[in-house]
Amino acid sequence: MIDLRSDTVTQPTAAMRAAMASAVVGDDVYGDDPTVNHLEQMAAEMLGFDDALFTTSGTQANLLALMSHCHRGDEYICGQQAHNYKYEAGGAAVLGSIQPQPIANQADGSLLLADVSAAIKPDDFHFARTRLISLENTIGGKVLPQQYLADAQQLAFSKGLKIHLDGARVANAAVAQGLAIADIMQFFDSATLCLSKGLCAPVGSLLLGDEHFIQRARRWRKMLGGGMRQAGILAAAGELALTQQVARLADDHANAQILAEGLSQIAELTVDRSLVQTNMVFAELDSKVDPQLLTTKLAEAGVRISASKTLRLVTHNDIATADIHKTIAAFKHCLAHV
Ligand SMILES: *Cc1c(COP(=O)(O)O)cnc(C)c1O
């Protein structure tokens, strides 16, 4: 199966499986797991922060960040499309008593800083206390420009707010711009990064920040059931995600371009190629085609996608360029027969 639903479907590499099998482990809740400790230290150093925390998922890492920056009755400003607003089951509100203040994302994924500024509440007991701005990079596969991040940081600083990066796919943003991940994270007080997406680790994310922030996050992680014991088995793969899998993302980006170009030739699909900047291709399906039927036909032809009017196709380590050509041919064949 050519599985284009997400880069979360990636299998751990052979090197990861070997490292996992031989990882030296201990009880991480006691701070005794040398492999987890090494991953956290290495990540903090590599990404330009004082400290790091290995978490079960990106959702948990984002929630820990929100709960460590904000208290009950505080709010964070984010995009309507932000993962940590729209796709994390309302965790900040449910578990943190933190009010989201979502504002519209622009077509390029950014938030207009004038909108952000207008949403910041004055110090008045009628309002929740605005504490944090949260951005996402990449967002919907799109890269936020470095100057924009610098301006957002400046805004946060001038208003006395903290600024967080949901960097689930920040490695893709870095590779797309020929930058180090640290070059992007430098504008943020805290950041998350998923090891388990394009970087191929089976499980886990990282949360980065200063020492006191990570101490608070460690307490919340324990409370939320995220204190894992011999977690070095997972951290061993996570380390290879950071050291061996980042540069390779360029292949996924090249494959996404080939896919976008091929699909844009098909009458029933509309692809805005300017939005294909990393490993995601979005294709609008002609309203006459039933997405579920197309998905079923494609599955029969060996291509797995999620049914939607707007198809999201994600390239990753388990998709070779030959698979991209097969996918384009399968789309042509199936759309001629639905
Ligand atoms: C996937 C994702 C997350 C959450 O990661 P999980 O490990 O799936 O919980 C957070 N933010 C963004 C932008 C993501 O794409």
Side-chain angles (χ1 to χ4, degrees):
M1 266 290 179
I2 300 169
D3 193 342
L4 293 159
R5 290 174 301 166
S6 180
D7 47 9
T8 55
V9 303
T10 42
Q11 295 285 314
T13 64
M16 284 176 179
R17 288 185 185 272
M20 293 171 80
S22 63
V24 182
V25 297
D27 187 332
D28 183 50
V29 177
Y30 284 104
D32 282 353
D33 191 302
T35 308
V36 172
N37 292 340
H38 186 257
L39 171 65
E40 292 177 345
Q41 282 157 20
M42 186 194 83
E45 197 165 311
M46 180 175 161
L47 303 176
F49 288 87
D50 293 348
D51 209 351
L53 188 66
F54 183 53
T55 67
T56 58
S57 67
T59 299
Q60 185 179 67
N62 273 329
L63 179 60
L64 299 179
L66 295 171
M67 292 176 75
S68 300
H69 282 303
C70 303
H71 293 120
R72 184 161 191 253
D74 290 350
E75 74 171 9
Y76 67 108
I77 296 173
C78 61
Q80 286 283 358
Q81 303 307 320
H83 200 282
N84 61 19
Y85 168 60
K86 193 173 177 183
Y87 299 103
E88 297 182 7
V94 174
L95 299 166
S97 300
I98 303 162
Q99 165 169 289
Q101 169 60 72
I103 59 181
N105 290 91
Q106 303 299 301
D108 68 357
S110 69
L111 307 178
L112 278 185
L113 295 182
D115 291 349
V116 173
S117 212
I120 297 170
K121 312 288 185 290
D123 183 5
D124 174 323
F125 64 71
H126 291 86
F127 302 128
R129 285 172 300 244
T130 311
R131 286 282 187 227
L132 179 71
I133 300 171
S134 179
L135 300 179
E136 190 173 310
N137 194 16
T138 63
I139 176 156
K142 296 174 296 258
V143 177
L144 297 179
Q146 290 290 97
Q147 185 58 50
Y148 172 77
L149 301 184
D151 293 345
Q153 180 193 38
Q154 180 53 39
L155 174 65
F157 186 77
S158 70
K159 303 285 186 182
L161 307 179
K162 298 290 184 188
I163 184 164
H164 171 72
L165 172 68
D166 178 350
R169 296 191 178 86
V170 66
N172 295 85
V175 167
Q177 299 175 95
L179 297 173
I181 298 171
D183 296 334
I184 297 176
M185 289 189 170
Q186 65 172 319
F187 302 111
F188 296 89
D189 295 296
S190 62
T192 57
L193 175 153
C194 280
L195 301 164
S196 60
K197 291 186 172 172
L199 302 182
C200 301
V203 177
S205 279
L206 290 164
L207 174 63
L208 298 123
D210 72 29
E211 197 185 328
H212 293 294
F213 171 86
I214 294 295
Q215 271 167 16
R216 295 195 295 279
R218 199 176 282 281
R219 174 180 287 267
W220 289 126
R221 187 186 68 170
K222 183 71 184 126
M223 192 187 292
L224 294 169
M228 297 183 286
R229 302 294 176 176
Q230 284 70 38
I233 299 277
L234 300 172
E239 179 166 335
L240 295 181
L242 278 182
T243 56
Q244 295 190 355
Q245 296 298 314
V246 174
R248 196 209 56 76
L249 294 172
D251 300 345
D252 300 344
H253 300 175
N255 282 335
Q257 292 296 335
I258 298 170
L259 182 60
E261 143 95 269
L263 296 183
S264 68
Q265 315 279 323
I266 300 175
E268 293 85 353
L269 298 173
T270 307
V271 181
D272 182 345
R273 292 183 59 198
S274 73
L275 301 180
V276 185
Q277 299 170 14
T278 57
N279 67 334
M280 287 187 193
V281 177
F282 290 87
E284 289 293 332
L285 190 57
D286 187 299
S287 59
K288 291 192 280 294
V289 182
D290 173 17
Q292 191 53 61
L293 185 59
L294 174 64
T295 302
T296 305
K297 290 265 179 212
L298 281 169
E300 285 163 17
V303 175
R304 198 158 186 194
I305 64 165
S306 301
S308 174
K309 277 281 166 208
T310 305
L311 303 174
R312 185 192 79 159
L313 308 171
V314 187
T315 57
H316 54 74
N317 189 41
D318 299 338
I319 305 286
T321 304
D323 297 325
I324 298 291
H325 293 298
K326 281 186 211 158
T327 299
I328 296 164
F331 265 94
K332 281 185 185 149
H333 176 79
C334 292
L335 283 166
H337 295 89
V338 290

